[in-house]
Amino acid sequence: MKVFLIAGEPSGDALGAALIAGLRQLSDISVFGIGGPKMEAEGVRSLFPMSDLSVMGVTEVLPRLPHLLRRRDEAVGAILDGRPDVLITIDSPDFCLRVAARVRAARRNQKVIHYVAPSVWAWRKGRAARMARNVDHVLALLPFEPPLMRAAGMGCDFVGHPVVAEPLASPEDIAAFRAEMGEQIVLVLPGSRQGEIARLAPVFGEVLERLPFEAQAVIPTLPHLEGTVRDAVAHWPRTPRIVTDDGPRRAAFGAATAALAASGSVSLQLAANRVPMVIAYDMSWLSWQILSRMVQVDTVTLVNLVAGRKAVPEFLGPDCKSDRIARALSALMLVPSEREKQREALDIAMDRLGRGAEAPGLRAARSVLAQL
């Protein structure tokens, strides 16, 4: 069986690699396409560097638009020439779904599967119907997404979220981290993009200054963001420890008392480690005015959405104020019953995301083969 996969960013590369490994367990396959180091380790010889596709935002995309269009055409040509049994596009809808549309225009019977459902439950419901024109089946990460995809005209299986398969720190590593850093550890996660870090770091620093007790702040981040983070926290009153290596990062998540985090998928990583959290996020006034009118849910935190309860406090847009955030974070840090109450919701979310079940990559592979 011939499979063409496209991933446009590191998270998609990880999903693609786990899917390939799952497919190899179940079937004899040959794979080609576009991916990063993890997919390449699974045998994908990338058509071009995945980093060519890792751009976001109008100001970043526009200068590179001619190059992106050439890459789109290269991908379409490779798919049409290779004649795969299935085209699997992974997230990155702006690029992937445009490739799928062009392929289907040239070959109507091409089987197309998209991995990671669009968040139509949050905003822009019409995206699912438009996607259904060129996608046969969706592999969903969240348990409430399949009915929405099926209503739009596509098949859909919930295959589990990759966070449930991520390794956790050992008890020994956690104990060693606490022995080094102290018992009161607060994780600070100001985002994974430079703009987020620049906007949120001053507010998060003020929150730490307002805490009515001593706690060691630890910032787990990625190696390529370390310089950005150090610059952003240089004037914080309490110097945080910044960790970038996998081992210390896992130990920090395991040892933390509570966390202050930007809105995003990191809430699920915290939930996997049973770390109670406060979520905060801010953006420009204009962006908030637009987004707040488009959002169709009353919480943006994935843990809340999956658990079905607003257990994690959020401070978004105009509410992203250090005094309010500090009060909520202090309650989590100082009151054990508050932490345990939130952990109940974290456990519910993780169980619903597939913890304890078959690995997501293998579940995704079974879903793909069922379609063929």
Side-chain angles (χ1 to χ4, degrees):
M1 181 177 72
K2 296 175 68 174
V3 182
F4 194 104
L5 299 100
I6 304 176
E9 54 190 89
S11 60
D13 182 41
L15 288 171
L19 172 57
I20 294 167
L23 287 168
R24 285 221 168 92
Q25 280 187 247
L26 302 173
S27 182
D28 182 18
I29 64 166
S30 63
V31 291
F32 58 122
I34 302 156
K38 292 184 177 180
M39 285 172 57
E40 289 175 340
E42 291 292 338
V44 175
R45 187 173 178 179
S46 190
L47 183 64
F48 50 76
M50 185 185 73
S51 57
D52 284 7
L53 307 180
S54 299
V55 292
M56 294 184 64
V58 173
T59 56
E60 290 185 28
V61 169
L62 282 178
R64 299 183 61 183
L65 187 57
H67 182 66
L68 287 168
L69 293 176
R70 284 195 298 272
R71 290 308 200 197
R72 178 202 63 190
D73 293 343
E74 284 181 56
V76 171
I79 295 163
L80 295 176
D81 290 343
R83 304 186 68 83
D85 295 289
V86 59
L87 165 62
I88 302 176
T89 55
I90 307 173
D91 211 358
S92 302
D94 288 338
F95 182 84
C96 285
L97 297 181
R98 284 175 169 82
V99 169
R102 292 203 161 221
V103 169
R104 287 288 282 265
R107 185 185 299 140
R108 289 306 305 169
N109 64 346
Q110 175 65 60
K111 177 70 73 172
V112 178
I113 294 176
H114 189 69
Y115 201 167
V116 184
S119 51
V120 297
W121 41 267
W123 63 303
R124 289 172 58 195
K125 285 185 177 179
R127 285 177 294 167
R130 290 192 294 273
M131 192 169 101
R133 299 169 191 162
N134 299 298
V135 171
D136 301 297
H137 190 73
V138 178
L139 307 175
L141 304 187
L142 302 176
F144 50 76
E145 291 174 325
L148 300 172
M149 298 298 102
R150 292 169 190 151
M154 296 170 283
C156 185
D157 289 327
F158 167 61
V159 297
H161 196 285
V163 72
V164 303
E166 291 180 2
L168 304 178
S170 68
E172 294 77 16
D173 288 342
I174 292 171
F177 196 88
R178 284 183 177 147
E180 179 186 356
M181 304 300 298
E183 289 295 318
Q184 283 283 64
I185 298 171
V186 56
L187 287 191
V188 183
L189 299 139
S192 58
R193 300 187 182 102
Q194 292 186 353
E196 291 174 334
I197 295 167
R199 186 177 293 274
L200 293 175
V203 179
F204 285 12
E206 290 177 13
V207 171
L208 296 178
E209 191 174 8
R210 289 177 178 273
L211 294 180
F213 52 85
E214 289 295 322
Q216 177 61 55
V218 178
I219 303 181
T221 190
L222 299 172
H224 72 278
L225 292 172
E226 182 176 2
T228 300
V229 171
R230 289 197 183 280
D231 290 344
V233 306
H235 302 295
W236 280 14
R238 305 183 191 188
T239 303
R241 177 178 173 184
I242 299 171
V243 293
T244 59
D245 293 339
D246 286 344
R249 288 176 73 240
R250 283 197 291 268
F253 273 86
T257 307
L260 168 59
S263 177
S265 60
V266 73
S267 71
L268 298 181
Q269 192 175 0
L270 291 166
N273 287 273
R274 305 188 79 236
V275 182
M277 71 196 85
V278 174
I279 297 296
Y281 202 80
D282 199 8
M283 60 195 73
S284 70
W285 180 87
L286 180 59
S287 295
W288 173 257
Q289 295 303 313
I290 295 170
L291 191 62
S292 61
R293 286 165 171 76
M294 295 175 67
V295 170
Q296 301 155 174
V297 289
D298 63 355
T299 176
V300 301
T301 300
L302 287 171
V303 169
N304 290 343
L305 288 162
V306 175
R309 61 179 75 172
K310 295 179 75 173
V312 176
E314 300 172 322
F315 299 88
L316 310 174
D319 290 329
C320 186
K321 305 296 184 187
S322 61
D323 55 340
R324 301 176 187 177
I325 300 168
R327 284 194 293 272
L329 184 59
S330 295
L332 280 182
M333 297 287 289
L334 296 174
V335 184
S337 62
E338 289 295 312
R339 296 197 296 275
E340 286 306 312
K341 186 167 61 175
Q342 192 180 124
R343 285 192 181 113
E344 291 177 8
L346 305 187
D347 287 338
I348 290 170
M350 293 308 298
D351 290 342
R352 290 179 177 175
L353 289 171
R355 183 172 61 184
E358 193 171 57
L362 190 55
R363 293 175 69 176
R366 293 191 193 282
S367 180
V368 168
L369 293 175
Q371 295 304 305
L372 299 175

